[in-house]
Amino acid sequence: MTQLPVRVAVLVSGGGTNLQSLLDALHDSPLARVARVISNRPDAGALDRARRAGVPATVLRDPADAAELLDALADADLVVLAGYLKLVPPAVVSRFRGRMINIHPALLPDFGGPGMYGHRVHAAVLASGATESGVTVHYVDEEFDRGEIIAQERVVVHSGDTPDSLAARVLEAEHRLLPRVVLDLARRIR
Ligand code: GRF
């Protein structure tokens, strides 16, 4: 039986707008709260967001070190990868199987995998001529972007879209979908 609120650990590498959507959505939630933020980059803008929200933040010396990451995750009940660009060590994946999720800015299983992040994803979607893109939240396993899909939201691709304009529209969908999935999972694992 997990105590309420569910303790959410968020792994980040970049600016942290998805982290911010979680901080805002869980701010006074009885169900879940952002308990800690962990980054592989000391200069990640997301760390400033964590500090402003008074959430403990950790910078990993070696993201491939399972013991260090497990230590940083401590008593987390649910782990969210929000713009985290490193592969999670297998020992950590197995410890948090079914309780670790990732958000990806495309409709997996397409446009995912090693090296497929940020601008490259949207450029690949546009190059493919796809008429829609979107966002996927999935469970994390030992490979990039391959785990079981939990939820997706579709976004229309406009004829004049650039990777930046598409990325901006997808990011809006990300900020809607991620808090919703986290609250749903918190209800289920409590
Ligand atoms: C998002 O598009 C996310 O889907 C991807 O990396 C981007 C991170 O954005 N994995 P932010 O750091 O949350 O602003």
Side-chain angles (χ1 to χ4, degrees), residues 71-86:
D71 208 39
L73 289 167
D75 60 357
D77 302 304
L78 182 61
V79 181
V80 176
L81 279 59
Y84 187 66
L85 301 181
K86 293 292 181 184

Side-chain angles (χ1 to χ4, degrees), residues 1-7 29-32 77-78 99 182-190:
M1 184 86 173
T2 303
Q3 287 168 10
L4 286 182
V6 165
R7 293 175 294 262
S29 164
L31 267 176
D77 302 304
L78 182 61
R99 295 187 294 134
V182 167
L183 284 165
D184 281 352
L185 289 174
R187 279 187 200 93
R188 274 195 250 156
I189 64 174
R190 69 181 174 165

Side-chain angles (χ1 to χ4, degrees), residues 33-85:
R33 65 180 171 83
V34 178
R36 58 194 69 248
V37 171
I38 299 162
S39 181
N40 63 306
R41 295 183 51 142
D43 59 348
L47 294 169
D48 299 328
R49 296 177 189 272
R51 292 179 188 123
R52 279 198 296 274
V55 175
T58 308
V59 177
L60 300 170
R61 280 186 311 280
D62 176 7
D65 180 342
E68 184 188 4
L69 182 49
L70 285 169
D71 208 39
L73 289 167
D75 60 357
D77 302 304
L78 182 61
V79 181
V80 176
L81 279 59
Y84 187 66
L85 301 181

Side-chain angles (χ1 to χ4, degrees), residues 14-18 83 103-105 171 174:
T17 65
N18 277 297
I103 186 160
H104 184 77
L171 204 53
E174 294 180 53

Side-chain angles (χ1 to χ4, degrees), residues 18 83 85 102-108 110-112 116-123 125 132-138 145 152-153 155 163 166-171 173-174:
N18 277 297
L85 301 181
N102 178 51
I103 186 160
H104 184 77
L107 296 173
L108 295 174
D110 300 330
F111 309 110
M116 286 301 276
Y117 56 85
H119 199 274
R120 293 181 200 168
V121 174
H122 306 293
V125 169
E132 64 174 8
S133 185
V135 49
T136 303
V137 179
H138 63 94
D145 307 326
Q152 292 184 311
E153 184 174 323
V155 165
L166 180 57
R169 203 174 316 111
V170 170
L171 204 53
E174 294 180 53

